[in-house]
Amino acid sequence: MSILGSPELDIEHTFVDFESQLYKKIFDANESSINTITLNTFGQAYNTPCLYTDPVTNIQCNGKPVLREYKKIDNTISTIRKFVGCKNYKLGQKGHHYISINQNVNLNYLEQLFQNYIYCPNGINREDQNEIIDKCFTVLPNSSVRNYCSFLHKTNTQIGKGKIINKGNCPVKFYHILPDNLTECPFIVMISTGVHNHPPPPPVKTPQNIMENLQKIVNNEYDLDLTRTLDISHIGHN
Ligand SMILES: [Zn+2]
Ligand SMILES: [Zn+2]
Ligand SMILES: [Zn+2]
């Protein structure tokens, strides 16, 4: 769980209610909206260093990204186009930061972000607990190697990635009961016991190792430890 996650995610569960509002929010957390695309454009601007090198001093530019605009004239019709440029740009210099802006971006929102927010590349500093934080409903499986949530989050002054917090191993155990002859009786009973110490994760494609192990069961190779392989305990945002 990331440190920016919603307090609603701090729950246990024994079954998954697909109709619950929380479940829907977790499921929708992976959807990209215009606002998340805009936030990502802001983050990308800060994560892309300016490659301009001063020809006299040979020092690389460390200019911060800024929102700039130019006038495009097409058959006497002029339109204002915005782009992300470098704060240190001076007329005639070539090679500074230039990022064109995707048409799915909300330009007014992007402008507000550049005006009012600080980008925190190492995650948001939450020492000031009073800051309002947008809730995140990202829940990841323990097998995930990500340290940060893939979305950028906002307080009222900062924007940064949410750190993922590992909720620890889930105490739920899975057991399987197999018939002596799978060909005659092609059924497997799976039982899970215990309470999951995390919110229900959204449905994901069955992991490859579980597919392979199920295949082994079907092939009558009984020597596998399903308790371990099927106990997919989970991480998410807290
Ligand atoms: Zn620059
Ligand atoms: Zn998040
Ligand atoms: Zn679990």
Side-chain angles (χ1 to χ4, degrees):
M1 307 242 166
S2 128
I3 55 163
L4 303 179
S6 164
E8 288 167 71
L9 289 180
D10 203 10
I11 54 158
E12 301 176 327
H13 76 276
T14 49
F15 69 100
V16 179
D17 176 3
F18 293 97
E19 294 305 313
S20 85
Q21 283 307 310
L22 177 62
Y23 182 82
K24 286 177 180 166
K25 282 177 188 167
I26 294 171
F27 190 76
D28 290 342
N30 293 317
E31 298 288 309
S32 292
S33 65
I34 286 183
N35 280 0
T36 53
I37 293 169
T38 307
L39 265 177
N40 286 345
T41 304
F42 178 80
Q44 188 207 356
Y46 277 89
N47 285 325
T48 316
C50 178
L51 295 176
Y52 177 77
T53 307
D54 188 300
V56 179
T57 61
N58 225 14
I59 294 170
Q60 193 180 330
C61 176
N62 63 355
K64 294 243 171 344
V66 281
L67 203 55
R68 295 191 185 278
E69 60 185 39
Y70 66 90
K71 212 185 269 181
K72 188 172 188 289
I73 300 170
D74 251 339
N75 291 331
T76 71
I77 302 164
S78 75
T79 42
I80 300 290
R81 296 284 176 91
K82 304 245 183 208
F83 65 96
V84 176
C86 173
K87 199 171 184 175
N88 289 353
Y89 169 79
K90 290 191 188 73
L91 201 68
Q93 292 178 339
K94 284 203 176 111
H96 283 279
H97 213 55
Y98 177 95
I99 299 177
S100 54
I101 295 170
N102 185 302
Q103 57 177 359
N104 294 329
V105 164
N106 177 339
L107 277 176
N108 289 338
Y109 183 43
L110 189 64
E111 230 165 83
Q112 280 175 33
L113 297 180
F114 272 103
Q115 270 167 23
N116 305 325
Y117 290 88
I118 300 164
Y119 181 69
C120 310
N122 300 317
I124 284 174
N125 174 3
R126 288 195 71 200
E127 272 168 21
D128 182 358
Q129 292 289 326
N130 296 322
E131 294 207 66
I132 306 154
I133 286 173
D134 57 338
K135 290 177 177 178
C136 181
F137 290 91
T138 297
V139 176
L140 302 173
N142 261 352
S143 56
S144 168
V145 290
R146 298 208 319 245
N147 294 324
Y148 289 96
C149 163
S150 51
F151 296 104
L152 292 174
H153 299 293
K154 265 166 58 203
T155 67
N156 45 19
T157 54
Q158 307 169 51
I159 291 175
K161 286 183 182 171
K163 286 196 184 95
I164 299 292
I165 290 177
N166 194 325
K167 291 282 279 184
N169 282 334
C170 175
V172 167
K173 296 264 179 269
F174 290 88
Y175 300 95
H176 63 284
I177 300 171
L178 302 170
D180 277 344
N181 188 331
L182 259 176
T183 323
E184 268 176 34
C185 176
F187 299 98
I188 298 168
V189 177
M190 287 194 195
I191 301 168
S192 77
T193 60
V195 178
H196 293 274
N197 64 354
H198 52 83
V204 286
K205 201 168 148 254
T206 311
Q208 193 58 35
N209 64 330
I210 292 179
M211 294 283 282
E212 283 164 12
N213 283 332
L214 284 173
Q215 190 60 51
K216 281 186 192 168
I217 295 173
V218 175
N219 295 343
N220 280 348
E221 294 171 32
Y222 296 128
D223 59 334
L224 75 162
D225 178 359
L226 257 196
T227 299
R228 208 182 62 230
T229 50
L230 281 187
D231 180 15
I232 356 165
S233 34
H234 322 272
I235 315 173
H237 255 262
N238 79 352

